[in-house]
Amino acid sequence: MSLPNCPQCNSEYVYEDQMLLVCPECAYEWNPNEEVIDEDALIIKDMSGKLLQEGDKVTLAKDLKVKGSSQVLKIGTKATIKRLVDGDHDIDCKVDGAGDMMLKSQFVKKQSA
């Protein structure tokens, strides 16, 4: 039976200790039966507190002026999240009719599936 690599450092020298798996290189311990939670992952929520992920479809919750342009994105405009980033404008997305843009999560609302 082969054991999985360490989720922390990707070491192959993992061993079992009772119910846990242990990595001798970084001293990380985890239960293989529990879901591994990435503590470094970004947690970004929309204006109503719903968790956003890459690939989600969102709509604008208010009219937004496009910086450096006279264009205004109207409320209800749809966008698809390409990736989440750390910073002031935390959503990199493709906005329908306007192309790729960076938006603030506080101005979008996640669409129901």
Side-chain angles (χ1 to χ4, degrees):
M1 181 174 134
S2 72
L3 297 173
N5 288 356
C6 174
Q8 199 78 3
C9 69
N10 205 29
S11 171
E12 61 186 30
Y13 303 109
V14 174
Y15 64 90
E16 278 187 277
D17 184 19
Q18 296 178 7
M19 298 289 292
L20 298 176
L21 295 178
V22 181
C23 175
E25 292 186 12
C26 69
Y28 184 69
E29 299 178 359
W30 74 99
N31 186 338
N33 298 325
E34 293 179 1
E35 181 179 331
V36 177
I37 299 172
D38 186 4
E39 296 172 359
D40 296 331
L42 289 174
I43 297 175
I44 298 178
K45 298 181 179 180
D46 71 354
M47 66 177 297
S48 49
K50 293 181 183 173
L51 190 62
L52 295 174
Q53 297 178 350
E54 294 177 6
D56 283 346
K57 299 201 182 299
V58 295
T59 57
L60 297 181
K62 71 178 261 181
D63 290 348
L64 299 174
K65 294 180 185 175
V66 178
K67 188 174 185 177
S69 168
S70 62
Q71 184 180 11
V72 176
L73 299 175
K74 296 292 186 182
I75 188 171
T77 301
K78 296 178 182 179
T80 303
I81 298 175
K82 294 191 325 187
R83 66 186 177 117
L84 301 173
V85 295
D86 191 20
D88 185 32
H89 290 73
D90 47 9
I91 301 174
D92 185 7
C93 61
K94 181 169 175 56
V95 180
D96 291 354
D100 295 336
M101 290 193 182
M102 299 285 289
L103 297 174
K104 293 184 179 185
S105 59
Q106 66 194 35
F107 300 127
V108 299
K109 188 173 183 182
K110 185 175 179 178
Q111 291 181 343
S112 301

